[in-house]
Structure formats: C-alpha cells, structure tokens
Amino acid sequence: MIKEIKDNDLKKHITRNILRDLPEWFGIEEYTEDYIEKSAYYPFFAAYDDDLPVGFVYLKETSPFTIEIYCMGVLKKYHLKGNGKKLMDYISIYAKEKNYKFIQVKTVKQGKYETYDKTNEFYRNSGFYELEVFPDLWDKHNPCQVFVKAV
C-alpha cells in the first residue's frame, strides 16, 4: 500500500530508517542528513508492508511542467518485490493529477558503479529515458545522468 505522508517528523523518520539501510547509495553522512532534513518540505509518499514503511519517494517541483524525484529508497530486504514500481506508478498518477508534463530524476551515469547501474536499470524499466549527462554537476567522479519520463 502507498500512503501520502503529511507529518514532517514522520517523513524524516521514514527517510532516516530507509537511507540508513542503503549505505551503498547513501553512504556520505552530510548528504544523507540533507536528504533526511529536506524530506519534510516536499510531497512525500511511502510504501508499506502492513504497518512497516518499506520504501519512500519525495518530489520537488523544478518547473511548472516538471516534478523531480528528489530522493527515493526501498529497504534492501524489499528490493525486487514491486515496491519501487508501486511508488513509481503512484507518483505518475500524482504528477498527472497536478498537471505536470514530466517527471525527472538524477543519478550517477551508467558504467561508473555497479550499484548505480542497477538504479539506472530501474528507471529505464519504469519508463524513463536518458536526457543528458552533466559530467561535473556533482563532481568529476560522479557524472550526473538526468532521466525524464512524460506523464
């Protein structure tokens, strides 16, 4: 089940618990803390297994036409069980209802790290297309791949 979360403390709690389970993606403490803090300020959706939050996504408007997946995570134990897909389906409906035309997401370019190669595959399988690579947006070791999906 997917729920929209409005309570800011609950958003941070869910984000913290899930990101702490994903050090391969969120291993730099200052960035992880930034994701946790920012979760309180954006539309936030959580996937649940009974009463346990097992995944989340939160969104940031980048233009009147585009919403960005600012941060997303699913507990490792729940990877490859459809939770990410359910979150993607839910935010696609949300974006359409809010009259956005596109959803975008940034990740590390294919071929840099195996972990992020799986992330790229997930977004491609979710209907996203590679738009552009910014080689130095984050730093030279982490070229930024932008994916987009029409809503």
Side-chain angles (χ1 to χ4, degrees):
M1 169 179 28
I2 307 296
K3 295 180 186 176
E4 182 171 6
I5 308 299
K6 301 279 189 173
D7 180 272
N8 293 341
D9 290 334
L10 182 56
K11 290 177 183 182
K12 290 180 185 181
H13 176 76
I14 292 169
T15 303
R16 179 174 284 105
N17 286 345
I18 293 173
L19 295 188
R20 295 288 182 231
D21 188 51
L22 304 169
E24 299 91 331
W25 288 271
F26 300 96
I28 300 172
E29 186 63 24
E30 73 179 88
Y31 296 133
T32 302
E33 280 302 316
D34 190 55
Y35 283 124
I36 292 165
E37 286 304 311
K38 286 182 178 170
S39 69
Y41 302 104
Y42 297 110
F44 187 103
F45 307 92
Y48 281 82
D49 181 13
D50 292 323
D51 293 331
L52 176 68
V54 300
F56 76 91
V57 60
Y58 67 85
L59 307 169
K60 176 184 175 186
E61 183 179 273
T62 58
S63 84
F65 308 103
T66 307
I67 197 152
E68 177 178 19
I69 297 170
Y70 196 79
C71 189
M72 178 178 182
V74 174
L75 292 171
K76 277 189 224 169
K77 178 180 173 183
Y78 289 87
H79 281 192
L80 302 173
K81 298 185 187 294
N83 293 290
K85 180 183 181 338
K86 288 176 188 169
L87 285 164
M88 289 292 105
D89 292 346
Y90 197 93
I91 66 165
S92 292
I93 293 166
Y94 173 86
K96 188 173 209 137
E97 288 174 352
K98 298 292 185 184
N99 295 313
Y100 291 105
K101 305 300 179 203
F102 304 98
I103 301 171
Q104 76 170 357
V105 64
K106 296 179 187 99
T107 189
V108 176
K109 181 183 175 207
Q110 185 78 27
K112 286 298 287 183
Y113 308 104
E114 185 178 337
T115 302
Y116 283 98
D117 289 351
K118 293 175 187 176
T119 302
N120 280 270
E121 182 180 346
F122 169 76
Y123 288 122
R124 279 191 212 92
N125 289 340
S126 298
F128 286 80
Y129 292 91
E130 297 170 11
L131 178 69
E132 187 171 359
V133 173
F134 294 95
D136 298 317
L137 182 67
W138 294 323
D139 63 53
K140 66 181 180 177
H141 303 292
N142 295 296
C144 175
Q145 173 69 63
V146 178
F147 282 92
V148 292
K149 175 181 177 178
V151 177

